[in-house]
Amino acid sequence: MADVVVYVDHVDGAVRKPTLELLTLARRLGEPVAVALGAGAAGTARVLGEHGAVRVLVSEAAEFGEFLVVPKVEALQAAVEAVSPVAVLVASSAEAKEVAARLALRIGSGVLTDAVDVEAGAEGPVATQSAFAASFTTKSRVSRGVPVITVKPNSAPVEPSPAAGAVEELSVSFSEGARGTKVVSRTPRESSGRPELTEAAIVVSGGRGVNGAENFAVIEALADSLGAAVGASRAAVDAGWYPHTNQVGQTGKSVSPQLYIASGISGAIQHRAGMQTSKTIVAVNKDAEAPIFDLVDYGVVGDLFDVVPQLTEEIKTRKG
Amino acid sequence: MSLRIVVPVKFVPDATGERRFGDDLTVDREDVDGLLSELDEYAVEQALQIAGEADDAVVTVVTVGPEDARDALRKALSMGADKAVHVEDDDVHGSDVIATSLVLAKAVEKTGFDVVVCGMASTDGTMGVLPALLAERLGVPQVTLLSEVSVSGGVVSGRRDGDAATERLEASLPAVVSVTDQSGEARYPSFKGIMAAKKKPVESLDLDDLGIGADEVGLGGSWTLVESAAERPARTAGTVVKDEGEGGRQLAEFLAGQKFI
Ligand SMILES: Cc1cc2nc3c(=O)[nH]c(=O)nc-3n(C[C@H](O)[C@H](O)[C@H](O)COP(=O)(O)OP(=O)(O)OC[C@H]3O[C@@H](n4cnc5c(N)ncnc54)[C@H](O)[C@@H]3O)c2cc1C
Ligand SMILES: Nc1ncnc2c1ncn2[C@@H]1O[C@H](COP(=O)(O)O)[C@@H](O)[C@H]1O
């Protein structure tokens, strides 16, 4: 059976959920061969095997942490040459997209980014993508080389599918160019204890209407009652009320949760670009004319400082 | 010798207008008003700041695009860039990102560069991978997605706020940089800047000038293929209620009905 290379996104051996989703998609195209790089890579094998990875190619070279992007490109290139896959799947993050694009150019293949679905087709994998702030849906494929496709989080279910997950050492010899951009220091992000924004099943976001950093406690309380991640509009981020890592939209994160709750957010096109594909959308806004209401499944016209705390209380009561 | 800064800027359909695809499934760039991609204004701004810190620098803006793309160059020139290069050729129409990166790489090489400053992503394609491809093609370091950037003593350094960590990066020139919208507000063109821009040189190049064959670009030379594009069905109108004191509880009722609680 044909092999499909899956590039593993992990933090010190802890596999991130989008990679498990990729394994589900990869199994539609062939047998998943995972490639895990960097510190802790070998520790990913068990989980990957449980989700369908037949083999796990591993390299823990220090270069992956010391230099930007290119060492990963060279390792993936070595994996592609060793495996001769029918496709390479990568989870869409800013860095992984860069890795995917450079890999594609090197191996003479086309690249598609930010797919929301991947299916087998007569002439190779077909990727579904969203365009123009998700107002269009396109289907595309790669017409030359080994298709390299990056896939957005929440595009497929995580499905257990036991496979060997056999660990093999991937040997990579780095070029001089791989050492071009030095990572002088790295400060890991402190965890908020809440789910990762792009992976969360529920996202609760606040905008300019939240009117102050301290008021974000109201949004956080609602998020916590639902076990949700917290998002923010750019207006709220630019005002310094919430960190940029939580921004939803064109220049922030793109999210596609089961439920998105927007409070005090008008629904500008650039914000919609990052949340329009959410399954269920709910908004609280005191302006009945706010464009966000064009998107909602349920909307409340009202002051978020009345509605949101009442909602949080009611959820707590119902959950007991 | 002066520091040669090149800024690739893209002319994109206005996001607040009705963006759509043409009959050949490429982005319709003709019937929709376009402008300089807002995210590339940040690149022009950082380029101008880097130039300001250097003893002597020349900022050249480059675009690959149709006739109207000249508007994007004008805007960048009125912000303060020194000169412009417009790559315009009918055969480029329909190029995907890998083909576009070939054209831009050749144009940047022909212009001559020490540092290339890109935007973080185009607002129409939103791939955000062209800067990495440019670095690959030019064979120079990529120092991308920076929220802070500076150039001194032949070294570019900056801060990259990634998903899992914030990184400090460093590379020797020549290099390709891209900057995010966190890098600092872009300046507005002054009246003087707008007048001055009219006299600044805009060089026109076609594929022949760059030594690129028509078969290497456009729909035929691209390595990806759009098979279909469909407008997303409008979301079915939802329920909108006015809060009369029970709005939060009504919302909870809705969420419970949807099994979220
Ligand atoms: C290139 C570019 C990229 C961008 N990228 C992004 C991006 O990634 N993400 C993003 O979000 N934006 C982005 N923007 C900005 C976007 O255009 C909007 O400016 C932004 O989304 C507005 O944020 P907002 O909805 O919070 O604020 P506003 O538009 O000011 O809306 C605030 C809303 O809150 C309501 N409100 C006020 N008080 C209350 C209250 N007490 N109770 C209930 N409702 C209340 C108001 O009625 C209003 O509708 C980008 C813009 C550009 C040009
Ligand atoms: N046609 C183009 N002409 C000039 N620069 C471009 C073009 N396309 C992309 N760029 C540059 O590459 C960046 C990233 O674009 P993209 O990868 O297409 O999202 C943009 O912000 C521009 O700086």
Side-chain angles (χ1 to χ4, degrees):
Chain A
M1 200 174 169
D3 287 334
V4 178
V5 163
V6 170
Y7 174 57
V8 178
D9 186 0
H10 71 99
V11 179
D12 294 328
V15 178
R16 294 179 62 183
K17 186 164 148 257
T19 300
L20 303 180
E21 296 165 6
L22 286 185
L23 289 170
T24 301
L25 295 174
R27 281 187 280 113
R28 296 180 184 168
L29 309 174
E31 286 197 331
V33 176
V35 177
L37 308 174
T44 62
R46 189 182 50 80
V47 171
L48 296 171
E50 285 166 3
H51 293 86
V54 177
R55 294 194 279 157
V56 183
L57 311 186
V58 166
S59 171
E60 298 196 350
E63 280 83 351
F64 301 118
E66 292 171 349
F67 304 97
L68 192 72
V69 171
V70 191
K72 293 171 182 160
V73 176
E74 297 192 345
L76 270 177
Q77 185 181 5
V80 167
E81 281 160 9
V83 172
S84 300
V86 291
V88 178
L89 299 185
V90 175
S92 284
S93 67
E95 179 181 278
K97 285 204 288 187
E98 295 184 324
V99 171
R102 292 186 71 145
L103 170 73
L105 180 53
R106 282 198 186 193
I107 63 175
S109 298
V111 61
L112 297 169
T113 56
D114 295 324
V116 293
D117 197 11
V118 179
E119 291 155 315
E123 290 162 288
V126 176
T128 306
Q129 292 162 294
S130 301
F132 302 150
S135 55
F136 279 80
T137 301
T138 60
K139 286 195 188 286
S140 303
R141 65 185 173 80
V142 167
S143 51
R144 187 185 136 153
V146 181
V148 179
I149 302 174
T150 85
V151 182
K152 290 218 261 185
N154 284 342
S155 296
V158 173
E159 290 168 359
S161 168
V167 177
E168 289 168 39
E169 186 67 26
L170 175 69
S171 95
V172 198
S173 49
F174 297 108
S175 72
E176 199 41 50
R179 300 187 170 85
T181 308
K182 231 184 284 163
V183 178
V184 183
S185 70
R186 175 179 284 112
T187 316
R189 204 164 299 301
E190 272 178 41
S191 166
S192 64
R194 298 193 177 88
E196 180 62 34
L197 187 55
T198 53
E199 300 170 12
I202 304 180
V203 175
V204 176
S205 288
R208 200 194 305 274
V210 174
N211 198 26
E214 61 292 348
N215 296 343
F216 255 88
V218 172
I219 303 296
E220 289 180 334
L222 174 58
D224 292 343
S225 73
L226 290 163
V230 175
S233 74
R234 176 162 159 188
V237 170
D238 283 354
W241 302 339
Y242 224 69
H244 180 250
T245 40
N246 295 72
Q247 183 177 314
V248 172
Q250 186 180 36
T251 54
K253 301 271 164 58
S254 170
V255 301
S256 200
Q258 295 299 320
L259 172 64
Y260 188 84
I261 304 182
S263 299
I265 292 177
S266 62
I269 186 80
Q270 296 87 355
H271 188 79
R272 296 163 73 138
M275 47 68 72
Q276 188 140 288
T277 55
S278 304
K279 308 294 175 296
T280 299
I281 297 175
V282 165
V284 180
N285 193 306
K286 65 182 180 190
D287 175 11
E289 304 295 320
I292 191 81
F293 285 124
D294 296 343
L295 296 181
V296 298
D297 296 284
Y298 199 89
V300 179
V301 179
D303 192 318
L304 75 92
F305 295 106
D306 296 330
V307 178
V308 172
Q310 189 181 70
L311 171 61
T312 308
E313 276 317 306
E314 184 68 19
I315 291 169
K316 283 189 188 156
T317 311
R318 287 179 185 238
K319 284 191 167 177
Chain B
M1 217 179 77
S2 60
L3 184 72
R4 296 164 302 170
I5 308 172
V6 179
V7 188
V9 296
K10 193 173 185 186
F11 178 74
V12 297
D14 187 348
T16 57
E18 289 275 311
R19 293 182 291 180
R20 56 180 174 259
F21 290 93
D23 293 338
D24 61 356
L25 300 181
T26 63
V27 175
D28 187 342
R29 299 183 191 280
E30 260 145 49
D31 305 323
V32 183
D33 284 340
L35 76 180
L36 167 62
S37 171
E38 283 130 329
L39 294 175
D40 293 345
E41 291 183 18
Y42 296 95
V44 175
E45 176 63 36
Q46 290 309 310
L48 294 173
Q49 291 196 20
I50 292 167
E53 295 288 312
D55 294 336
D56 180 21
V58 180
V59 177
T60 309
V61 287
V62 184
T63 197
V64 177
E67 193 183 341
D68 290 349
R70 202 161 277 256
D71 292 353
L73 295 175
R74 279 285 164 230
K75 170 102 189 251
L77 291 172
S78 63
M79 286 173 72
D82 300 299
K83 57 196 184 72
V85 174
H86 184 183
V87 183
E88 187 190 357
D89 196 310
D90 289 344
D91 290 327
V92 172
H93 172 85
S95 297
D96 69 0
V97 72
I98 288 202
T100 303
S101 73
L102 171 67
V103 182
L104 259 178
K106 295 279 186 194
V108 168
E109 254 167 0
K110 192 175 164 73
T111 305
F113 71 101
D114 298 301
V115 55
V116 179
V117 186
C118 299
M120 64 186 286
S122 55
T123 57
D124 55 348
T126 67
M127 294 179 78
V129 300
L130 191 127
L133 289 170
L134 210 48
E136 176 76 31
R137 291 211 186 255
L138 294 169
V140 303
Q142 102 172 50
V143 198
T144 49
L145 298 171
L146 303 181
S147 50
E148 240 175 64
V149 60
S150 63
V151 171
S152 98
V155 172
V156 51
S157 45
R159 192 182 87 215
R160 172 168 162 128
D161 297 317
D163 270 353
T166 288
E167 295 165 328
R168 289 249 155 221
L169 304 178
E170 213 171 84
S172 302
L173 299 185
V176 173
V177 165
S178 77
V179 297
T180 72
D181 61 336
Q182 298 292 301
S183 58
E185 269 314 297
R187 68 194 65 185
Y188 286 104
S190 63
F191 178 70
K192 214 173 114 213
I194 293 168
M195 296 314 286
K198 297 195 166 133
K199 299 198 195 73
K200 290 178 178 172
V202 179
E203 184 185 6
S204 254
L205 299 175
D206 62 15
L207 290 178
D208 274 348
D209 297 323
L210 298 174
I212 298 172
D215 57 340
E216 295 178 81
V217 295
L219 284 169
S222 290
W223 299 351
T224 53
L225 188 75
V226 180
E227 291 188 324
S228 66
E231 200 155 357
R232 219 180 140 80
R235 293 185 77 101
T236 41
T239 312
V240 177
V241 299
K242 195 169 176 325
D243 178 33
E244 311 274 10
E246 289 295 310
R249 274 185 281 276
Q250 285 168 284
L251 195 43
E253 187 58 37
F254 169 79
L255 295 179
Q258 303 285 312
K259 307 264 181 292
F260 288 115
I261 307 177

